[in-house]
């Protein structure tokens, strides 16, 4: 699917590629979220907790508030809804007895897995085929762009 882009700046091509990838990811997220019948913020919370859990990092409601860009009270309401659905659980924080660690339950893990089970094999093969060094360059570029956007966003408010 190579297209001819003579004379188009590389930066423009990169942004167009990111937009296409974002659109595909949004479609996938929307389908997965609908399968679980969750609000967008609740689904985002599950994804965050899954990512933290996959590296053995604890998550607290304050972490969730930061990621979702909401108040602590709103994050607590999100956790309450997910606890009520049996998708997450609160556990005592061994480092702070006033705090609670939030983790996915087995049902939460299974729900996310099932929501994404139809990720096309061809897409997964494409992603798996990206050489590690190239993937690391893309990750670093995305992080650097995010830093600049975050820095400049605060100036324009």
């Amino acid at each position: 699917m190579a297209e001819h882009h003579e004379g188009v700046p590389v930066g423009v091509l990169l942004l167009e590629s990111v937009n296409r990838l974002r659109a595909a990811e949004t479609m996938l997220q929307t389908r997965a979220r609908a399968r679980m019948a969750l609000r967008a913020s609740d689904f985002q919370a599950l994804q965050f907790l899954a990512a933290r859990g996959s590296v053995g990092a604890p998550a607290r409601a304050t972490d969730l508030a930061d990621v979702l860009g909401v108040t602590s009270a709103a994050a607590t309401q999100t956790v309450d809804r997910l606890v009520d659905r049996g998708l997450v659980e609160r556990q005592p924080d061994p480092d702070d007895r006033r705090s609670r660690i939030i983790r996915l339950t087995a049902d939460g893990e299974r729900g996310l897995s099932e929501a994404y089970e139809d990720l096309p094999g061809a897409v997964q093969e494409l992603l798996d085929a990206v050489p590690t060094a190239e993937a690391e360059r893309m990750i670093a570029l995305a992080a650097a762009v995010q830093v600049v956007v975050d820095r400049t966003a605060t100036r324009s408010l």
Side-chain angles (χ1 to χ4, degrees):
M1 187 165 143
E3 298 176 26
H4 186 65
H5 298 288
E6 190 174 318
V8 179
V10 169
V12 171
L13 296 174
L14 280 170
L15 287 175
E16 286 177 358
S17 296
V18 167
N19 285 335
R20 285 193 301 272
L21 186 58
R22 186 181 315 132
E25 193 266 343
T26 298
M27 289 172 54
L28 179 66
Q29 295 285 329
T30 300
R31 276 198 321 250
R33 185 173 61 81
R35 284 187 176 149
M36 294 186 76
L38 290 173
R39 298 175 184 201
S41 60
D42 293 357
F43 190 73
Q44 186 179 1
L46 284 184
Q47 290 181 300
F48 170 73
L49 294 172
R52 291 293 282 265
S54 72
V55 295
R60 294 167 189 81
T62 54
D63 301 318
L64 199 52
D66 289 343
V67 166
L68 298 177
V70 299
T71 65
S72 293
T76 298
Q77 290 175 340
T78 297
V79 173
D80 289 344
R81 283 191 302 272
L82 295 172
V83 167
D84 289 347
R85 296 264 314 257
L87 301 173
V88 303
E89 62 187 359
R90 290 182 175 100
Q91 299 176 339
D93 183 340
D95 299 326
D96 180 358
R97 56 181 210 182
R98 296 169 296 160
S99 183
R100 298 276 183 239
I101 302 292
I102 305 160
R103 290 196 167 90
L104 288 182
T105 62
D107 284 346
E109 290 176 7
R110 189 172 30 261
L112 276 177
S113 178
E114 290 172 0
Y116 283 112
E117 73 183 350
D118 72 337
L119 177 63
V123 171
Q124 191 63 52
E125 287 175 23
L126 288 169
L127 295 173
D128 290 343
V130 175
T132 302
E134 193 173 328
E136 288 172 353
R137 285 181 57 208
M138 287 188 275
I139 292 165
L141 175 61
V145 168
Q146 185 66 54
V147 167
V148 171
V149 169
D150 287 348
R151 191 175 332 127
T152 58
T154 58
R155 282 190 246 152
S156 64
L157 295 176

